[in-house]
Protein backbone atom coordinates (compact mmCIF):
# COMPACT_ATOMS: atom_id res chain seq x y z
CA UNK A 1 0.00 0.00 0.00
CA UNK A 2 2.82 2.38 0.97
CA UNK A 3 4.66 1.55 -2.28
CA UNK A 4 1.46 2.27 -4.24
CA UNK A 5 1.14 5.70 -2.57
CA UNK A 6 4.75 6.55 -3.40
CA UNK A 7 4.22 5.64 -7.05
CA UNK A 8 1.03 7.69 -7.18
CA UNK A 9 2.82 10.67 -5.63
CA UNK A 10 5.65 10.41 -8.18
CA UNK A 11 3.15 10.20 -11.04
CA UNK A 12 1.32 13.30 -9.81
CA UNK A 13 4.61 15.16 -9.38
CA UNK A 14 5.70 14.24 -12.91
CA UNK A 15 2.35 15.31 -14.36
CA UNK A 16 2.52 18.62 -12.49
CA UNK A 17 6.07 19.33 -13.64
CA UNK A 18 5.18 18.56 -17.25
CA UNK A 19 2.12 20.82 -17.09
CA UNK A 20 4.15 23.62 -15.56
CA UNK A 21 6.98 23.21 -18.05
CA UNK A 22 7.95 26.42 -19.75
CA UNK A 23 8.06 26.43 -23.52
CA UNK A 24 9.43 29.15 -25.75
CA UNK A 25 7.65 29.87 -29.03
CA UNK A 26 9.92 31.53 -31.59
CA UNK A 27 8.42 33.60 -34.40
CA UNK A 28 10.03 35.41 -37.31
CA UNK A 29 7.84 38.14 -38.81
CA UNK A 30 8.06 40.31 -41.91
CA UNK A 31 5.73 42.99 -43.25
CA UNK A 32 5.31 45.01 -46.44
CA UNK A 33 8.05 43.14 -48.30
CA UNK A 34 6.83 44.63 -51.61
CA UNK A 35 8.62 42.08 -53.78
CA UNK A 36 12.10 42.84 -52.45
CA UNK A 37 13.37 39.53 -53.78
CA UNK A 38 17.00 40.62 -53.54
CA UNK A 39 16.84 40.44 -49.73
CA UNK A 40 15.58 36.85 -49.67
CA UNK A 41 18.95 35.03 -49.53
CA UNK A 42 19.67 36.82 -46.23
CA UNK A 43 16.07 36.43 -45.00
CA UNK A 44 16.27 32.68 -45.65
CA UNK A 45 19.60 32.51 -43.82
CA UNK A 46 18.06 34.26 -40.81
CA UNK A 47 15.26 31.70 -40.76
CA UNK A 48 17.83 28.89 -41.11
CA UNK A 49 19.82 30.25 -38.15
CA UNK A 50 16.75 30.51 -35.93
CA UNK A 51 15.66 26.98 -36.86
CA UNK A 52 18.99 25.69 -35.58
CA UNK A 53 17.88 27.03 -32.20
CA UNK A 54 14.20 26.06 -32.56
CA UNK A 55 13.16 23.70 -35.38
CA UNK A 56 9.51 24.68 -34.69
CA UNK A 57 10.08 28.30 -35.72
CA UNK A 58 6.95 30.00 -37.08
CA UNK A 59 7.35 32.49 -39.96
CA UNK A 60 4.62 35.02 -40.78
CA UNK A 61 4.06 37.95 -43.12
CA UNK A 62 1.71 40.82 -42.27
CA UNK A 63 0.85 41.34 -45.96
CA UNK A 64 1.80 43.44 -48.98
CA UNK A 65 4.16 40.74 -50.19
CA UNK A 66 3.98 41.99 -53.78
CA UNK A 67 4.07 45.24 -55.82
CA UNK A 68 7.23 47.30 -56.20
CA UNK A 69 9.56 45.13 -58.29
CA UNK A 70 8.81 44.42 -61.97
CA UNK A 71 10.85 41.22 -61.83
CA UNK A 72 8.08 39.94 -59.59
CA UNK A 73 5.07 41.99 -60.66
CA UNK A 74 5.53 41.47 -64.42
CA UNK A 75 6.30 37.76 -64.20
CA UNK A 76 4.24 35.36 -66.35
CA UNK A 77 2.12 34.66 -63.27
CA UNK A 78 2.33 38.06 -61.56
CA UNK A 79 3.92 37.82 -58.09
CA UNK A 80 4.83 34.13 -58.46
CA UNK A 81 8.54 34.77 -57.68
CA UNK A 82 7.59 36.04 -54.21
CA UNK A 83 5.39 33.00 -53.59
CA UNK A 84 8.15 30.63 -54.69
CA UNK A 85 10.68 32.35 -52.42
CA UNK A 86 8.29 32.44 -49.45
CA UNK A 87 7.63 28.73 -49.98
CA UNK A 88 11.36 28.03 -49.93
CA UNK A 89 11.91 30.08 -46.77
CA UNK A 90 9.09 28.18 -45.11
CA UNK A 91 6.47 30.80 -44.32
CA UNK A 92 3.60 29.44 -42.21
CA UNK A 93 1.03 32.12 -43.02
CA UNK A 94 0.40 35.57 -44.43
CA UNK A 95 -2.13 38.30 -43.93
CA UNK A 96 -3.67 39.84 -47.02
CA UNK A 97 -2.38 43.34 -47.71
CA UNK A 98 -4.17 45.81 -49.95
CA UNK A 99 -1.51 45.29 -52.62
CA UNK A 100 -2.23 41.56 -52.83
CA UNK A 101 -5.19 42.65 -55.00
CA UNK A 102 -3.25 44.89 -57.42
CA UNK A 103 -3.31 42.44 -60.33
CA UNK A 104 -5.76 39.61 -60.90
CA UNK A 105 -3.41 36.78 -59.90
CA UNK A 106 -4.38 36.29 -56.25
CA UNK A 107 -6.54 33.24 -56.94
CA UNK A 108 -3.66 31.49 -58.69
CA UNK A 109 -1.21 32.53 -55.98
CA UNK A 110 -3.38 31.10 -53.20
CA UNK A 111 -3.17 27.76 -55.02
CA UNK A 112 0.60 27.92 -55.48
CA UNK A 113 1.42 28.95 -51.91
CA UNK A 114 2.48 26.30 -49.39
CA UNK A 115 1.04 28.51 -46.65
CA UNK A 116 -2.43 29.93 -46.07
CA UNK A 117 -3.62 33.52 -46.41
CA UNK A 118 -5.49 34.60 -43.29
CA UNK A 119 -8.22 37.24 -43.45
CA UNK A 120 -11.18 37.22 -41.06
CA UNK A 121 -12.82 40.39 -42.37
CA UNK A 122 -13.05 39.30 -46.03
CA UNK A 123 -15.17 36.69 -47.75
CA UNK A 124 -14.81 35.67 -51.39
CA UNK A 125 -17.48 34.43 -53.77
CA UNK A 126 -16.58 30.91 -55.04
CA UNK A 127 -16.22 32.07 -58.64
CA UNK A 128 -13.31 34.36 -57.70
CA UNK A 129 -11.13 31.34 -56.95
CA UNK A 130 -9.54 33.26 -54.05
CA UNK A 131 -8.96 30.80 -51.22
CA UNK A 132 -8.36 32.29 -47.78
CA UNK A 133 -9.17 31.29 -44.22
CA UNK A 134 -10.03 33.59 -41.29
CA UNK A 135 -7.78 31.92 -38.75
CA UNK A 136 -5.48 28.98 -38.17
CA UNK A 137 -4.27 27.04 -35.13
CA UNK A 138 -0.68 25.76 -35.11
CA UNK A 139 0.48 22.96 -32.82
CA UNK A 140 4.02 23.86 -31.76
CA UNK A 141 5.31 20.98 -29.67
CA UNK A 142 2.00 20.66 -27.86
CA UNK A 143 1.48 24.43 -27.52
CA UNK A 144 -1.54 25.70 -29.44
CA UNK A 145 -0.88 28.97 -31.29
CA UNK A 146 -3.97 30.62 -32.74
CA UNK A 147 -3.61 33.24 -35.49
CA UNK A 148 -6.32 35.55 -36.88
CA UNK A 149 -5.75 37.71 -39.98
CA UNK A 150 -7.26 41.12 -40.82
CA UNK A 151 -6.87 43.74 -43.56
CA UNK A 152 -7.30 47.53 -43.57
CA UNK A 153 -10.24 49.23 -45.22
CA UNK A 154 -10.26 52.70 -46.77
CA UNK A 155 -13.05 55.20 -46.05
CA UNK A 156 -14.91 53.58 -48.97
CA UNK A 157 -15.05 50.33 -47.00
CA UNK A 158 -12.60 48.43 -49.22
CA UNK A 159 -8.81 47.92 -49.17
CA UNK A 160 -6.73 50.64 -50.83
CA UNK A 161 -6.59 49.22 -54.34
CA UNK A 162 -8.52 49.73 -57.56
CA UNK A 163 -12.18 48.79 -56.94
CA UNK A 164 -12.24 46.76 -60.16
CA UNK A 165 -9.76 44.36 -58.54
CA UNK A 166 -12.25 43.48 -55.77
CA UNK A 167 -15.17 42.03 -57.74
CA UNK A 168 -16.72 39.17 -55.78
CA UNK A 169 -14.91 40.07 -52.56
CA UNK A 170 -16.73 41.38 -49.50
CA UNK A 171 -15.28 43.19 -46.49
CA UNK A 172 -16.20 44.13 -42.93
CA UNK A 173 -14.42 46.48 -40.50
CA UNK A 174 -11.82 44.51 -38.56
CA UNK A 175 -13.07 45.73 -35.21
CA UNK A 176 -16.50 44.23 -35.89
CA UNK A 177 -14.98 40.84 -36.65
CA UNK A 178 -12.06 40.26 -34.26
CA UNK A 179 -14.31 39.79 -31.23
CA UNK A 180 -15.84 36.72 -32.90
CA UNK A 181 -12.53 34.91 -32.35
CA UNK A 182 -12.25 35.37 -28.58
CA UNK A 183 -12.95 31.62 -28.35
CA UNK A 184 -9.31 31.16 -29.33
CA UNK A 185 -8.32 32.59 -25.95
CA UNK A 186 -9.99 29.61 -24.27
CA UNK A 187 -8.75 26.96 -26.67
CA UNK A 188 -5.22 28.22 -27.46
CA UNK A 189 -2.17 28.96 -25.33
CA UNK A 190 -1.15 31.86 -27.60
CA UNK A 191 -3.37 34.18 -29.67
CA UNK A 192 -1.87 36.34 -32.44
CA UNK A 193 -3.45 38.98 -34.66
CA UNK A 194 -1.77 39.03 -38.08
CA UNK A 195 -2.68 42.57 -39.03
CA UNK A 196 -2.50 44.71 -42.14
CA UNK A 197 -4.31 47.58 -40.42
CA UNK A 198 -1.48 49.99 -39.65
CA UNK A 199 0.25 51.08 -36.45
CA UNK A 200 -2.44 53.34 -34.97
CA UNK A 201 -5.16 50.80 -35.72
CA UNK A 202 -3.05 48.06 -34.13
CA UNK A 203 -2.83 50.12 -30.95
CA UNK A 204 -6.60 50.54 -31.03
CA UNK A 205 -7.07 46.78 -31.47
CA UNK A 206 -4.80 46.15 -28.48
CA UNK A 207 -7.00 48.46 -26.38
CA UNK A 208 -10.21 46.83 -27.62
CA UNK A 209 -9.05 43.19 -27.41
CA UNK A 210 -6.62 42.75 -24.48
CA UNK A 211 -6.99 38.96 -24.74
CA UNK A 212 -4.58 39.08 -27.68
CA UNK A 213 -0.98 38.22 -26.85
CA UNK A 214 0.69 39.64 -29.95
CA UNK A 215 -0.11 41.80 -32.97
CA UNK A 216 2.21 41.32 -35.95
CA UNK A 217 1.53 44.53 -37.85
CA UNK A 218 2.02 46.06 -41.27
CA UNK A 219 0.64 48.58 -43.78
CA UNK A 220 2.01 51.87 -42.37
CA UNK A 221 5.71 50.84 -42.60
CA UNK A 222 6.27 51.98 -39.00
CA UNK A 223 9.72 51.17 -37.69
CA UNK A 224 9.46 50.03 -34.08
CA UNK A 225 12.43 49.21 -31.89
CA UNK A 226 11.75 45.51 -32.04
CA UNK A 227 8.27 46.04 -30.66
CA UNK A 228 6.24 47.87 -28.06
CA UNK A 229 3.52 46.95 -25.58
CA UNK A 230 0.05 48.49 -25.63
CA UNK A 231 -2.47 47.44 -22.98
CA UNK A 232 -0.41 44.31 -22.34
CA UNK A 233 -0.34 43.34 -26.04
CA UNK A 234 3.01 43.19 -27.84
CA UNK A 235 2.93 45.01 -31.22
CA UNK A 236 5.63 44.63 -33.89
CA UNK A 237 6.22 46.26 -37.29
CA UNK A 238 9.16 47.30 -39.48
CA UNK A 239 9.73 49.60 -42.44
CA UNK A 240 8.83 48.34 -45.89
CA UNK A 241 11.03 46.46 -48.37
CA UNK A 242 12.73 44.18 -45.84
CA UNK A 243 15.40 46.29 -44.19
CA UNK A 244 14.55 44.38 -41.00
CA UNK A 245 12.52 41.47 -39.70
CA UNK A 246 11.42 40.79 -36.14
CA UNK A 247 12.34 37.82 -33.95
CA UNK A 248 9.68 37.33 -31.29
CA UNK A 249 9.99 34.96 -28.34
CA UNK A 250 6.88 34.09 -26.33
CA UNK A 251 7.33 32.07 -23.13
CA UNK A 252 4.34 29.86 -22.35
CA UNK A 253 3.64 28.31 -18.96
CA UNK A 254 0.46 26.69 -17.64
CA UNK A 255 -1.38 27.47 -20.88
CA UNK A 256 -0.66 31.20 -20.95
CA UNK A 257 2.05 33.59 -22.12
CA UNK A 258 4.18 34.69 -19.17
CA UNK A 259 6.90 36.58 -21.03
CA UNK A 260 7.22 38.40 -24.37
CA UNK A 261 10.43 39.54 -26.04
CA UNK A 262 11.10 40.96 -29.49
CA UNK A 263 14.07 42.30 -31.41
CA UNK A 264 14.58 43.31 -34.98
CA UNK A 265 17.27 41.79 -37.17
CA UNK A 266 18.92 43.74 -39.99
CA UNK A 267 18.39 41.76 -43.18
CA UNK A 268 20.71 43.41 -45.68
CA UNK A 269 23.72 43.31 -43.34
CA UNK A 270 23.14 39.74 -42.19
CA UNK A 271 26.45 37.96 -42.84
CA UNK A 272 25.03 34.74 -44.31
CA UNK A 273 23.01 33.86 -47.42
CA UNK A 274 21.02 30.78 -48.29
CA UNK A 275 22.62 29.53 -51.51
CA UNK A 276 19.53 27.80 -52.89
CA UNK A 277 17.46 30.97 -52.45
CA UNK A 278 20.30 33.01 -53.94
CA UNK A 279 20.12 30.88 -57.11
CA UNK A 280 16.34 31.29 -57.24
CA UNK A 281 16.71 35.07 -57.03
CA UNK A 282 19.32 35.00 -59.80
CA UNK A 283 16.91 33.01 -61.99
CA UNK A 284 13.99 35.37 -61.40
CA UNK A 285 16.22 38.41 -62.00
CA UNK A 286 17.23 37.39 -65.51
CA UNK A 287 15.23 39.83 -67.65
CA UNK A 288 17.47 42.15 -69.72
CA UNK A 289 14.46 44.07 -71.12
CA UNK A 290 14.16 45.92 -67.82
CA UNK A 291 17.68 47.35 -68.21
CA UNK A 292 16.87 49.39 -71.32
CA UNK A 293 17.79 53.06 -70.79
CA UNK A 294 14.99 55.54 -71.50
CA UNK A 295 16.53 58.88 -70.49
CA UNK A 296 19.02 60.47 -68.17
CA UNK A 297 18.28 62.34 -64.94
CA UNK A 298 20.56 65.39 -64.88
CA UNK A 299 19.96 65.71 -61.14
CA UNK A 300 18.60 63.18 -58.65
CA UNK A 301 14.94 62.92 -57.72
CA UNK A 302 15.01 63.50 -53.97
CA UNK A 303 11.30 63.74 -53.14
CA UNK A 304 8.19 61.80 -54.12
CA UNK A 305 6.60 65.03 -55.41
CA UNK A 306 9.41 65.51 -57.93
CA UNK A 307 8.70 62.12 -59.52
CA UNK A 308 4.95 62.77 -59.39
CA UNK A 309 5.42 66.09 -61.20
CA UNK A 310 7.30 64.29 -63.98
CA UNK A 311 4.51 61.72 -64.23
CA UNK A 312 1.88 64.46 -64.43
CA UNK A 313 3.86 66.23 -67.15
CA UNK A 314 4.05 62.95 -69.07
CA UNK A 315 0.27 62.49 -68.89
CA UNK A 316 -0.28 66.06 -70.10
CA UNK A 317 2.18 65.98 -72.96
CA UNK A 318 1.36 62.56 -74.39
CA UNK A 319 -2.42 62.92 -73.92
CA UNK A 320 -2.72 66.59 -74.91
CA UNK A 321 -4.16 67.59 -71.53
CA UNK A 322 -4.19 70.92 -69.70
CA UNK A 323 -3.64 69.40 -66.26
CA UNK A 324 -2.10 66.21 -64.89
CA UNK A 325 -2.99 64.57 -61.56
CA UNK A 326 -1.16 61.78 -59.72
CA UNK A 327 -2.09 60.29 -56.35
CA UNK A 328 0.77 60.01 -53.80
CA UNK A 329 0.19 56.28 -53.40
CA UNK A 330 0.72 55.84 -57.13
CA UNK A 331 4.40 56.81 -56.79
CA UNK A 332 6.12 53.81 -55.23
CA UNK A 333 9.73 54.97 -54.96
CA UNK A 334 10.88 57.95 -52.93
CA UNK A 335 14.21 58.70 -54.62
CA UNK A 336 15.95 58.12 -57.92
CA UNK A 337 19.64 58.72 -58.42
CA UNK A 338 21.21 61.00 -61.00
CA UNK A 339 22.02 59.09 -64.18
CA UNK A 340 20.28 56.58 -66.42
CA UNK A 341 16.53 56.02 -66.01
CA UNK A 342 15.62 52.49 -67.10
CA UNK A 343 12.45 50.56 -67.85
CA UNK A 344 12.82 48.93 -64.45
CA UNK A 345 12.88 52.34 -62.74
CA UNK A 346 9.58 53.30 -64.34
CA UNK A 347 7.95 49.96 -63.49
CA UNK A 348 9.09 50.30 -59.89
CA UNK A 349 7.85 53.89 -59.79
CA UNK A 350 4.41 52.92 -61.14
CA UNK A 351 3.73 49.18 -60.70
CA UNK A 352 -0.07 49.09 -60.83
CA UNK A 353 -1.00 48.51 -64.50
CA UNK A 354 -3.32 51.53 -64.40
CA UNK A 355 -4.63 53.01 -67.63
CA UNK A 356 -4.59 56.70 -68.49
CA UNK A 357 -7.94 58.45 -68.10
CA UNK A 358 -8.81 61.85 -69.55
CA UNK A 359 -11.61 63.88 -67.95
CA UNK A 360 -13.36 67.10 -68.91
CA UNK A 361 -13.77 69.02 -65.62
CA UNK A 362 -14.39 72.55 -64.49
CA UNK A 363 -12.02 73.99 -61.90
CA UNK A 364 -14.62 73.41 -59.20
CA UNK A 365 -15.13 69.79 -60.30
CA UNK A 366 -11.37 69.24 -60.33
CA UNK A 367 -11.07 70.46 -56.73
CA UNK A 368 -13.94 68.22 -55.71
CA UNK A 369 -12.29 65.23 -57.35
CA UNK A 370 -9.02 65.83 -55.51
CA UNK A 371 -10.64 66.46 -52.11
CA UNK A 372 -12.97 63.46 -52.32
CA UNK A 373 -10.04 61.32 -53.42
CA UNK A 374 -7.98 62.24 -50.33
CA UNK A 375 -10.98 62.66 -47.98
CA UNK A 376 -9.53 66.07 -47.08
CA UNK A 377 -6.37 64.40 -45.70
CA UNK A 378 -3.22 66.37 -46.44
CA UNK A 379 -0.94 63.34 -46.71
CA UNK A 380 -2.93 61.90 -49.63
CA UNK A 381 -3.74 65.11 -51.51
CA UNK A 382 -2.81 64.51 -55.18
CA UNK A 383 0.23 65.96 -56.93
CA UNK A 384 -0.39 68.01 -60.06
CA UNK A 385 1.01 69.20 -63.37
CA UNK A 386 0.10 72.27 -65.45
CA UNK A 387 -0.92 74.24 -62.37
CA UNK A 388 -0.16 74.92 -58.71
CA UNK A 389 -2.33 74.31 -55.65
CA UNK A 390 -2.37 76.50 -52.54
CA UNK A 391 -3.67 74.46 -49.61
CA UNK A 392 -5.17 76.04 -46.50
CA UNK A 393 -5.28 73.64 -43.56
CA UNK A 394 -7.88 73.27 -40.84
CA UNK A 395 -6.66 75.22 -37.79
CA UNK A 396 -8.14 72.69 -35.38
CA UNK A 397 -6.76 69.71 -37.29
CA UNK A 398 -3.80 70.67 -39.50
CA UNK A 399 -3.79 67.21 -41.05
CA UNK A 400 -6.93 68.16 -42.98
CA UNK A 401 -7.21 70.41 -46.05
CA UNK A 402 -9.89 73.07 -45.59
CA UNK A 403 -9.51 75.07 -48.80
CA UNK A 404 -7.83 74.64 -52.21
CA UNK A 405 -6.89 77.51 -54.53
CA UNK A 406 -5.83 76.70 -58.09
CA UNK A 407 -3.18 78.84 -59.77
CA UNK A 408 -1.49 78.74 -63.14
CA UNK A 409 2.22 77.92 -63.15
CA UNK A 410 2.99 81.66 -63.35
CA UNK A 411 0.84 82.37 -60.29
CA UNK A 412 -2.42 83.65 -61.81
CA UNK A 413 -5.78 82.54 -60.41
CA UNK A 414 -7.44 79.89 -62.56
CA UNK A 415 -10.96 80.27 -63.92
CA UNK A 416 -12.97 77.80 -61.79
CA UNK A 417 -15.87 77.72 -64.29
CA UNK A 418 -13.75 76.93 -67.31
CA UNK A 419 -13.65 73.32 -68.48
CA UNK A 420 -10.17 71.72 -68.45
CA UNK A 421 -8.83 68.54 -70.01
CA UNK A 422 -7.39 66.54 -67.08
CA UNK A 423 -5.21 63.42 -67.47
CA UNK A 424 -4.65 61.01 -64.59
CA UNK A 425 -4.46 57.29 -63.82
CA UNK A 426 -7.60 55.13 -63.69
CA UNK A 427 -7.40 54.71 -59.90
CA UNK A 428 -8.04 58.37 -59.07
CA UNK A 429 -11.50 58.78 -60.68
CA UNK A 430 -12.49 55.28 -59.52
CA UNK A 431 -12.01 56.36 -55.88
CA UNK A 432 -13.31 59.94 -56.01
CA UNK A 433 -16.40 61.92 -57.00
CA UNK A 434 -16.56 63.04 -60.63
CA UNK A 435 -19.47 64.07 -62.86
CA UNK A 436 -21.09 61.15 -64.63
CA UNK A 437 -19.84 60.73 -68.19
CA UNK A 438 -16.86 63.04 -67.73
CA UNK A 439 -14.13 60.42 -68.13
CA UNK A 440 -12.64 58.63 -71.11
CA UNK A 441 -10.23 55.74 -70.56
CA UNK A 442 -7.44 55.64 -73.14
CA UNK A 443 -5.95 52.42 -74.43
CA UNK A 444 -2.59 53.23 -72.84
CA UNK A 445 -0.95 52.16 -69.59
CA UNK A 446 0.43 54.96 -67.46
CA UNK A 447 3.87 53.31 -67.59
CA UNK A 448 3.84 53.38 -71.41
CA UNK A 449 3.04 57.10 -71.31
CA UNK A 450 5.87 57.82 -68.85
CA UNK A 451 8.36 55.81 -70.90
CA UNK A 452 7.31 57.58 -74.11
CA UNK A 453 7.76 60.96 -72.40
CA UNK A 454 11.24 60.05 -71.15
CA UNK A 455 12.39 58.70 -74.51
CA UNK A 456 11.21 61.87 -76.24
CA UNK A 457 12.99 64.18 -73.79
CA UNK A 458 16.25 62.20 -73.37
CA UNK A 459 17.16 64.24 -70.26
CA UNK A 460 15.02 65.45 -67.33
CA UNK A 461 15.62 67.54 -64.24
CA UNK A 462 12.91 67.87 -61.57
CA UNK A 463 15.12 68.58 -58.57
CA UNK A 464 13.30 71.07 -56.34
CA UNK A 465 10.07 71.11 -58.38
CA UNK A 466 7.08 71.74 -56.08
CA UNK A 467 3.52 72.50 -57.11
CA UNK A 468 1.71 72.08 -53.78
CA UNK A 469 2.03 75.00 -51.34
CA UNK A 470 0.86 74.98 -47.73
CA UNK A 471 -0.50 78.40 -46.83
CA UNK A 472 0.25 79.95 -43.42
Amino acid sequence: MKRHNVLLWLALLLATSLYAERREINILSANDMHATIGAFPQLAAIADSLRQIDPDLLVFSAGDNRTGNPLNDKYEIPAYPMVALMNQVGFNGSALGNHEFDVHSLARLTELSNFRYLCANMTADPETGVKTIPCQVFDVGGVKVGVVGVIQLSPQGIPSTHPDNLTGLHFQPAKEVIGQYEWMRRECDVVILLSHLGYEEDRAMADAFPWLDLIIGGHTHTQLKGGETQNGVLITQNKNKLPRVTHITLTVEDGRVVDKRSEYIDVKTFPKKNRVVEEMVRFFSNNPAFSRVLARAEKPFEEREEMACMMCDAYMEVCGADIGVENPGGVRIERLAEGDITVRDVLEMDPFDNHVVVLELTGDELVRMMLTYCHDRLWSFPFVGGMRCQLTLDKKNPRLVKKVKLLTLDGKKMDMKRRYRVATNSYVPATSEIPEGSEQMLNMFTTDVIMQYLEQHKTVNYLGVRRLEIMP
Side-chain angles (χ1 to χ4, degrees), residues 5-282:
N5 289 340
V6 170
L7 290 174
L8 180 61
W9 179 81
L10 287 171
L12 289 171
L13 181 64
L14 178 61
T16 302
S17 64
L18 287 172
Y19 184 72
E21 181 184 0
R22 286 184 169 229
R23 174 65 197 265
E24 287 191 343
I25 305 299
N26 286 281
I27 301 166
L28 182 64
S29 68
N31 62 272
D32 302 279
M33 294 185 285
H34 285 291
T36 310
I37 64 175
F40 261 74
Q42 289 97 327
L43 173 60
I46 292 170
D48 294 342
S49 299
L50 290 174
R51 287 194 180 101
Q52 291 179 3
I53 301 169
D54 183 359
D56 293 325
L57 174 75
L58 294 172
V59 185
F60 295 115
S61 165
D64 274 5
N65 304 323
R66 59 152 300 145
T67 303
N69 183 347
L71 296 171
N72 175 75
D73 305 332
K74 300 295 183 182
Y75 202 74
E76 182 179 357
I77 301 174
Y80 173 71
M82 276 296 291
V83 166
L85 291 166
M86 291 173 72
N87 287 343
Q88 185 65 30
V89 170
F91 274 76
N92 298 94
S94 175
L96 286 177
N98 52 298
H99 289 294
E100 260 66 68
F101 303 99
D102 283 342
V103 178
H104 297 285
S105 63
L106 181 57
R108 188 78 177 101
L109 297 179
T110 59
E111 294 177 351
L112 295 170
S113 301
N114 294 341
F115 52 89
R116 302 302 300 271
Y117 293 86
L118 282 66
C119 193
N121 61 327
M122 184 199 82
T123 56
D125 293 343
E127 55 267 26
T128 67
V130 174
K131 298 179 177 64
T132 64
I133 54 176
C135 63
Q136 189 170 1
V137 177
F138 298 87
D139 188 327
V140 184
V143 176
K144 290 186 177 180
V145 179
V147 185
V148 183
V150 287
I151 187 172
Q152 64 84 218
L153 303 183
S154 70
Q156 289 98 339
I158 58 175
S160 298
T161 189
H162 199 295
D164 290 352
N165 299 337
L166 303 174
T167 302
L169 305 177
H170 312 281
F171 301 89
Q172 293 177 267
K175 197 170 185 178
E176 295 179 8
V177 172
I178 294 171
Q180 300 172 18
Y181 295 88
E182 191 171 359
W183 60 265
M184 298 186 94
R185 179 72 284 165
R186 299 185 296 273
E187 298 192 14
C188 298
D189 306 295
V190 179
V191 183
I192 300 170
L193 183 68
L194 194 57
S195 162
H196 198 79
L197 298 178
Y199 172 68
E200 292 298 339
E201 282 295 304
D202 287 344
R203 288 169 57 88
M205 296 306 108
D207 287 336
F209 307 105
W211 46 267
L212 295 168
D213 294 305
L214 166 67
I215 298 176
I216 297 173
H219 184 55
T220 49
H221 310 167
T222 306
Q223 183 59 61
L224 301 179
K225 295 180 179 179
E228 63 179 50
T229 301
Q230 174 75 16
N231 196 29
V233 181
L234 178 62
I235 300 173
T236 68
Q237 189 173 166
N238 291 298
K239 288 189 70 174
N240 62 325
K241 298 189 176 181
L242 275 178
R244 300 175 182 89
V245 288
T246 304
H247 175 212
I248 304 153
T249 306
L250 304 177
T251 304
V252 179
E253 183 177 356
D254 293 345
R256 65 188 183 91
V257 177
V258 296
D259 186 49
K260 306 172 186 180
R261 303 189 306 276
S262 60
E263 60 179 356
Y264 64 66
I265 302 172
D266 286 314
V267 176
K268 293 182 180 178
T269 60
F270 194 74
K272 297 180 180 179
K273 294 183 178 181
N274 180 298
R275 297 304 176 192
V276 173
V277 173
E278 192 172 31
E279 285 303 314
M280 292 176 67
V281 170
R282 184 175 290 112

Side-chain angles (χ1 to χ4, degrees), residues 267-332:
V267 176
K268 293 182 180 178
T269 60
F270 194 74
K272 297 180 180 179
K273 294 183 178 181
N274 180 298
R275 297 304 176 192
V276 173
V277 173
E278 192 172 31
E279 285 303 314
M280 292 176 67
V281 170
R282 184 175 290 112
F283 172 79
F284 289 129
S285 301
N286 185 24
N287 193 331
F290 294 147
S291 300
R292 181 166 64 88
V293 175
L294 301 168
R296 178 174 176 78
E298 294 180 344
K299 297 289 182 181
F301 290 79
E302 295 184 343
E303 298 287 342
R304 191 184 299 267
E305 183 174 357
E306 295 169 0
M307 279 177 280
C309 288
M310 181 193 72
M311 295 165 75
C312 289
D313 290 351
Y315 300 160
M316 292 165 54
E317 181 175 305
V318 176
C319 303
D322 305 304
I323 294 167
V325 175
E326 178 64 34
N327 59 306
V331 189
R332 302 308 296 183

